[in-house]
Amino acid sequence: MVTIRPVELRDVDVIYRYRLDEEVMFWGSGGYGNAIPAREQLVQEFQSQSSMDTKRIFAIEVEVAGNQEPVVIGTISFREMDRIARRATIGMLIGDRNYWGKGYGTAALNQFVTMLFARYNLNRIDLDTFADNKRAIRCYEKVGFSVEGVRRQAMWTMNGYRDQVLMGLLQEEWLAKKGNRSFYLE
């Protein structure tokens, strides 16, 4: 079972370890070279989060047989939240490679999108990734995101320039996909 919760200080070490993994960060950050913050920056960022922020990070946890506590496998976040336009840009990182390609990202993204549309009453959710990130694009499309455009050679990676894929999802599209059912009365 996958759950999402706000990050806490107890998550700093595991999330920092994920951010030190170059392959994880290549796929999770578009390959930007400055993707590794100092551990102290993570502590400060986690401590300063507020429910009214325009940027927040959440932990993705899974229950693992034999473990008493759920395991944090990554993060999912929003940034650039505009409460008047009712839109935000999101990002997701599955940091533990053992959980890649097993549907955990799709499950986490479904929960996160539901939270953003239901609790935050967003009208639109944006995201972007580079065109080579086929696994992520498939995940986003499963949840309902559509490719809205491609910016050629817009992202610099450790392997050179890459095209940036822009994707979006509207609340009305999400509701139609769910059959216009209430979010929590199912």
Side-chain angles (χ1 to χ4, degrees), residues 47-180:
Q47 285 178 324
S48 66
Q49 287 195 124
S50 157
S51 63
M52 294 306 291
D53 285 347
T54 60
K55 174 185 176 185
R56 286 198 70 194
I57 303 170
F58 297 80
I60 301 171
E61 291 183 327
V62 296
E63 292 181 14
V64 177
N67 286 18
Q68 290 187 357
E69 294 289 320
V71 175
V72 174
I73 65 165
T75 60
I76 193 163
S77 61
F78 65 76
R79 64 185 187 276
E80 302 163 6
M81 175 159 310
D82 182 333
R83 294 184 191 278
I84 294 172
R86 296 177 36 223
R87 63 157 293 281
T89 303
I90 65 170
M92 181 171 62
L93 170 76
I94 302 298
D96 187 329
R97 292 189 216 182
N98 295 317
Y99 295 90
W100 286 5
K102 297 181 180 175
Y104 293 105
T106 302
L109 186 58
N110 265 313
Q111 286 182 35
F112 198 59
V113 164
T114 299
M115 180 184 76
L116 292 174
F117 284 143
R119 270 191 207 171
Y120 288 90
N121 193 29
L122 294 185
N123 179 60
R124 175 183 175 80
I125 302 171
D126 303 319
L127 61 82
D128 63 79
T129 189
F130 54 96
D132 301 64
N133 200 349
K134 302 296 184 194
R135 181 176 37 228
I137 292 169
R138 273 193 312 274
C139 170
Y140 303 146
E141 288 175 335
K142 283 182 202 172
V143 173
F145 284 85
S146 299
V147 174
E148 296 181 333
V150 176
R151 295 175 61 209
R152 296 175 303 135
Q153 295 188 10
M155 300 178 86
W156 170 253
T157 73
M158 295 175 286
N159 296 332
Y161 284 102
R162 294 286 185 265
D163 293 348
Q164 180 184 35
V165 175
L166 308 172
M167 301 182 79
L169 178 61
L170 301 177
Q171 186 184 68
E172 65 191 43
E173 295 166 340
W174 177 250
L175 285 169
K177 185 177 180 192
K178 293 183 68 62
N180 288 315

Side-chain angles (χ1 to χ4, degrees), residues 12-32:
V12 167
D13 290 330
V14 69
I15 292 169
Y16 183 66
R17 192 170 56 248
Y18 295 153
R19 291 189 179 187
L20 291 176
D21 185 317
E22 286 193 33
E23 183 180 1
V24 167
M25 291 313 299
F26 178 83
W27 294 112
S29 67
Y32 292 113

